[in-house]
Amino acid sequence: MQPLVSLDGLTVAFNGVKVLDGISLSVGRGEAVGLVGESGSGKSVTWLAALGLLPKTAAVSGSVKLEGTEILGASPSNMDRVRGGRVAMILQDPASALNPVLTIRRQVGESLALHRGLSGAAIHAEARRLLDLVGIPDAERRLSAYPHEFSGGQNQRIMIAMALAGNPDLLIADEPTTALDATIQAQILELIRRVRWETGMAIVLISHDLGVVAENCDRIAVMYAGRVAEEAPSAELFDDPRHPYAHGLIGSLPPIDGPRRRLTAIAGTVPDPKAMPQGCAFAPAASDKRFGCVELRSIQNDRRVQFCLLRGRRTTGQSHQRKSMIISITLGRTSLVSIQAKSLRSHALYLVFERFSFLAQPCVLGFWRIGSTQFF
């Protein structure tokens, strides 16, 4: 089935500095997809780029398709119909996203007029219905209020009402519970769940909170340093993370039962895009410094992970005089990756299907084949 929205090789650079590197992701109709990762990993920039909301200093390339139609680089008039009408976005800070000098009726009504062609009394009635839908008490009177007259949680509800005004097919919720207390967070998430089931729209939930995405998303993509490190169904990702970074994120969660244990900490921070390390961006923070990511590959129909290579083991008894050679790593009859290497005498690369990178030795899958010679 054709996805509702698909990103393919989406790359973003600011003044020549690459901050997104080949993001590929799809969202189906009615699906809830979570996007997790620490600050600076590119979660928000991914969707701002997809919707054409980045400044002109950003160089954006790749492909963004809405039901098979390319929208990256579309004309401003076409994007005005897409933004709000087909794809709506809830920004991180509702207090700064709302205009402080306009009433709520004016701000919600603008979306209703632009995307649904309503006017006059119809705008007023629909705006009141949307405020009732998102749980704003005394909606008729509060339409005349200004943003500063609402609490943080109520402002977030108003942002959701504005996003729903255009009846979008996809709602992108960028940290919708930031700076809200636990009770209000639960209410906002329950509201998003209820609206999703009532309208059938798809949702992309961007969050730092693994618990939030676990409860609300069908599928999760883990991002690090502008790349998708792993993508999997929610239950599978939490039960069996494959990438060392995903494993570290989940290892940092305290268990609610069983014996107490020391939490796993991920060293360092996301690398500065201006000084990105060569090869795997996560290698400097990995507890096992021998790992490095090669590329994102599908390992099942609904799961993708950055394959890891274990570097540094020397070979013996082999001499190759050619300046370079193509090395293919296979699993059974399936070719996983091909690498051009200058010499096998100095380094050997072993494909690792990493399951417990912080706890156990890696498991080597597949074998080397150079010409007719096979190495295990």
Side-chain angles (χ1 to χ4, degrees):
M1 181 181 296
Q2 179 176 266
L4 175 63
V5 176
S6 61
L7 315 181
D8 186 17
L10 185 64
T11 300
V12 176
F14 292 101
N15 299 319
V17 178
K18 188 181 293 185
V19 296
L20 281 189
D21 188 5
I23 299 296
S24 294
L25 187 68
S26 64
V27 183
R29 280 196 169 275
E31 186 181 24
V33 176
L35 210 57
V36 299
E38 52 198 288
S39 296
S41 59
K43 305 183 301 296
S44 300
V45 171
T46 296
W47 290 100
L48 291 174
L51 294 176
L53 295 174
L54 293 178
K56 293 182 179 180
T57 55
V60 183
S61 60
S63 174
V64 180
K65 292 183 178 179
L66 177 61
E67 291 189 322
T69 301
E70 184 65 52
I71 62 172
L72 188 63
S75 66
S77 59
N78 286 337
M79 290 306 297
D80 285 343
R81 288 191 291 270
V82 169
R83 293 189 292 253
R86 300 295 307 279
V87 182
M89 188 169 185
I90 304 172
L91 300 177
Q92 288 192 25
D93 185 5
S96 60
L98 293 169
N99 192 322
V101 299
L102 297 180
T103 64
I104 298 306
R105 180 193 181 281
R106 176 81 176 273
Q107 297 186 62
V108 177
E110 183 179 2
S111 295
L112 293 170
L114 178 63
H115 299 296
R116 294 171 58 181
L118 302 183
S119 62
I123 285 183
H124 184 88
E126 182 62 10
R128 182 180 59 192
R129 186 191 72 83
L130 288 170
L131 291 195
D132 283 331
L133 177 66
V134 299
I136 298 294
D138 196 8
E140 177 69 32
R141 182 177 64 85
R142 304 303 293 276
L143 281 173
S144 302
Y146 292 85
H148 71 272
E149 299 179 73
F150 294 86
S151 67
Q154 288 176 327
N155 276 328
Q156 191 63 280
R157 291 173 185 267
I158 292 169
M159 288 296 299
I160 295 173
M162 292 176 63
L164 297 177
N167 288 332
D169 298 314
L170 172 63
L171 175 65
I172 302 167
D174 189 358
E175 296 283 356
T177 58
T178 297
L180 302 179
D181 61 59
T183 302
I184 302 302
Q185 283 186 28
Q187 293 175 2
I188 294 297
L189 292 171
E190 176 58 32
L191 171 61
I192 292 176
R193 278 195 298 267
R194 177 165 57 85
V195 168
R196 177 195 171 198
W197 288 115
E198 290 179 357
T199 62
M201 68 180 178
I203 290 179
V204 172
L205 182 58
I206 301 172
S207 180
H208 293 96
D209 193 328
L210 294 175
V212 167
V213 295
E215 288 184 13
N216 295 277
C217 297
D218 307 314
R219 188 159 46 90
I220 299 174
V222 180
M223 291 190 65
Y224 187 83
R227 296 178 181 177
V228 175
E230 183 169 354
E231 179 188 347
S234 299
E236 292 184 23
L237 180 69
F238 282 88
D239 289 342
D240 185 20
R242 303 292 178 87
H243 191 274
Y245 178 62
H247 195 284
L249 285 180
I250 294 171
S252 66
L253 295 174
I256 60 175
D257 56 6
R260 291 190 300 173
R261 62 171 176 82
R262 185 175 295 277
L263 300 181
T264 302
I266 299 175
T269 59
V270 177
D272 187 339
K274 295 180 180 179
M276 194 68 71
Q278 291 184 352
C280 176
F282 183 63
S287 60
D288 191 333
K289 301 302 182 185
R290 300 172 295 170
F291 287 107
C293 298
V294 182
E295 57 182 312
L296 192 67
R297 286 294 184 98
S298 296
I299 59 175
Q300 297 170 1
N301 290 336
D302 56 356
R303 186 160 194 179
R304 298 184 303 156
V305 63
Q306 287 273 2
F307 277 104
C308 293
L309 292 180
L310 181 59
R311 294 185 173 88
R313 181 173 175 180
R314 294 181 178 274
T315 60
T316 58
Q318 300 295 331
S319 177
H320 299 277
Q321 301 300 322
R322 289 176 295 175
K323 292 183 178 179
S324 64
M325 63 194 73
I326 299 296
I327 302 170
S328 295
I329 306 174
T330 63
L331 178 58
R333 296 183 178 180
T334 304
S335 176
L336 296 177
V337 65
S338 294
I339 302 171
Q340 186 171 9
K342 291 185 177 180
S343 173
L344 281 186
R345 298 184 64 182
S346 57
H347 293 85
L349 304 179
Y350 288 82
L351 182 68
V352 177
F353 197 37
E354 178 57 47
R355 294 188 62 183
F356 304 105
S357 62
F358 295 99
L359 303 176
Q361 291 297 316
C363 173
V364 178
L365 295 182
F367 52 80
W368 295 102
R369 182 181 296 279
I370 304 176
S372 60
T373 305
Q374 178 175 312
F375 301 92
F376 290 91

